[in-house]
């Protein structure tokens, strides 16, 4: 494999890297997807059995990508025959859609989300069992569904390999080489673990896509980038809320309506932080795009909304790698200036000489 020059090497087989790799393979690219941990694992932010998938957002510019991502999830489900989204039956659709409520939010509701503003009084009526201090308003989103997250990744990986892609786990990237020797390509130096021990090798490609979440920051430091990633607690689950005096009921609650009742709830965005848990970008803007000084290297690092946006962001990153960005953003109906705000350039650390 060391002698091969792939069209792209994608580092990180979480939801961002997996979608980017799948979209590259769909465009007939020769792709190598690398994962540092043995799969499956619980080490990254793409692990777990379920995610809430809804369209409510206070960011108007993200809505085309959220709608695009929803379409891509639905198309993957339809094309594979696998159940990836858990909806209610058509007869229940109108009144009993799973509903997600976001307490204490600001900003405009994006068109296409089907979301409604709730006053503090309406919020109390909507979720009478939830104690959330100082609510100034809320968003009620009727577009929600449950995404079977772990199964989604397995299906993406299967489709990727069926298209000729190669997935290597237990393969940690220790160095990115933007210009490799005289072969006019980029490369990564990897450390692989097998039954016979550890070994190092160099793998080559025209483009390197860095999509390994919190581990991305260390890999791109040699390129003069300092990506601030903070650590926050972000637990998601689904449970029946019984004890309204518990700490759980004082947190932001996602309310998934089921039929027949009772409602089930998910814990999200608690108003306190604990160290060494899930990691997020500190400025809450995605970091997606090419590295200015090394255009053979691209970064795909979403901030906090991976399963809702990564299908679209992965498709955009794949288009960037293949030089087909203009066609992609036209099909999604997203502004190029929106994407430029995500480019890694904002994390460049200038030297004293500069």
């Amino acid at each position: 494999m060391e002698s091969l020059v792939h069209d792209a090497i994608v580092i990180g087989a979480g939801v961002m890297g997996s979608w980017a790799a799948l979209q590259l393979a769909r465009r007939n690219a020769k792709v190598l997807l690398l994962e540092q941990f043995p799969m499956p694992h619980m080490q990254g932010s793409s692990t777990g059995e379920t995610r809430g998938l809804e369209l409510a957002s206070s960011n108007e510019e993200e809505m085309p990508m959220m709608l695009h991502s929803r379409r891509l999830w639905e198309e993957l489900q339809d094309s594979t025959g696998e159940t990836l989204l858990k909806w209610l039956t058509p007869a229940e659709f109108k009144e009993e859609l799973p509903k997600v409520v976001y307490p204490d939010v600001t900003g405009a509701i994006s068109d296409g989300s089907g979301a409604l503003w709730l006053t503090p009084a309406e919020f109390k009526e909507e979720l009478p069992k939830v104690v959330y201090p100082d609510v100034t308003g809320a968003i009620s989103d009727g577009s929600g569904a449950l995404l079977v997250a772990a199964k989604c990744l397995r299906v993406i990986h299967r489709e990727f390999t069926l298209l000729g892609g190669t997935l290597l786990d237990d393969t940690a990237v220790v160095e990115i080489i933007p210009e490799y020797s005289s072969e006019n390509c980029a490369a990564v130096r990897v450390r692989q673990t097998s039954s016979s021990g550890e070994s190092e090798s160099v793998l080559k490609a025209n483009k390197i896509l860095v999509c390994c979440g919190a581990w991305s920051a260390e890999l791109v430091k040699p390129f003069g980038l300092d990506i601030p990633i903070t650590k926050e607690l972000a637990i998601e689950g689904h449970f029946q809320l019984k004890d309204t005096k518990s700490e759980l009921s004082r947190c932001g609650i996602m309310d998934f309506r089921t039929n027949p009742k009772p409602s089930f709830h998910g814990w999200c965005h608690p108003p306190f932080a604990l160290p060494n848990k899930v990691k997020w970008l500190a400025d809450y803007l995605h970091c997606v795009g090419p590295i200015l000084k090394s255009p053979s290297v691209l970064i795909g690092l979403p901030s906090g909304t991976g399963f809702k946006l990564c299908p679209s962001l992965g498709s955009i990153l794949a288009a960037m790698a293949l030089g087909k960005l203009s066609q992609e953003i036209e099909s999604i109906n997203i502004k190029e200036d929106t994407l430029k705000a995500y480019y890694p350039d904002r994390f460049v650390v200038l030297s004293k000489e500069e």
Side-chain angles (χ1 to χ4, degrees), residues 6-21:
H6 294 82
D7 293 313
I9 291 175
V10 181
I11 306 171
V15 66
M16 180 68 188
S18 297
W19 265 108

Side-chain angles (χ1 to χ4, degrees), residues 249-269:
S249 66
R250 292 180 172 86
C251 300
I253 300 295
M254 296 196 305
D255 175 39
F256 287 90
R257 296 296 177 86
T258 58
N259 191 17
K261 294 183 177 180
S263 296
F264 283 77
H265 300 74
W267 183 19
C268 69
H269 309 306

Side-chain angles (χ1 to χ4, degrees), residues 55-72:
L55 295 176
S57 173
S58 59
N59 188 337
E60 185 77 26
E61 293 181 338
E62 282 187 351
M63 185 50 62
M65 292 185 293
M66 294 184 77
L67 292 169
H68 182 223
S69 291
R70 174 68 70 96
R71 290 196 302 272
L72 289 173

Side-chain angles (χ1 to χ4, degrees), residues 186-209:
V188 293
R189 191 179 308 279
V190 301
R191 182 180 298 118
Q192 294 173 289
T193 304
S194 66
S195 57
S196 57
E198 288 188 349
S199 62
E200 286 199 1
S201 59
V202 173
L203 304 172
K204 295 171 286 188
N206 294 319
K207 299 288 184 181
I208 309 295
L209 282 61

Side-chain angles (χ1 to χ4, degrees), residues 261-315:
K261 294 183 177 180
S263 296
F264 283 77
H265 300 74
W267 183 19
C268 69
H269 309 306
F272 54 87
L274 292 177
N276 302 317
K277 296 295 181 183
V278 178
K279 301 178 181 181
W280 308 89
L281 274 174
D283 65 356
Y284 292 93
L285 267 182
H286 314 294
C287 180
V288 178
I291 295 178
L292 184 62
K293 293 183 177 179
S294 302
S296 62
V297 182
L298 299 91
I299 299 178
L301 185 57
S303 180
T305 53
F307 280 81
K308 299 178 185 69
L309 280 179
C310 278
S312 187
L313 289 175
S315 186

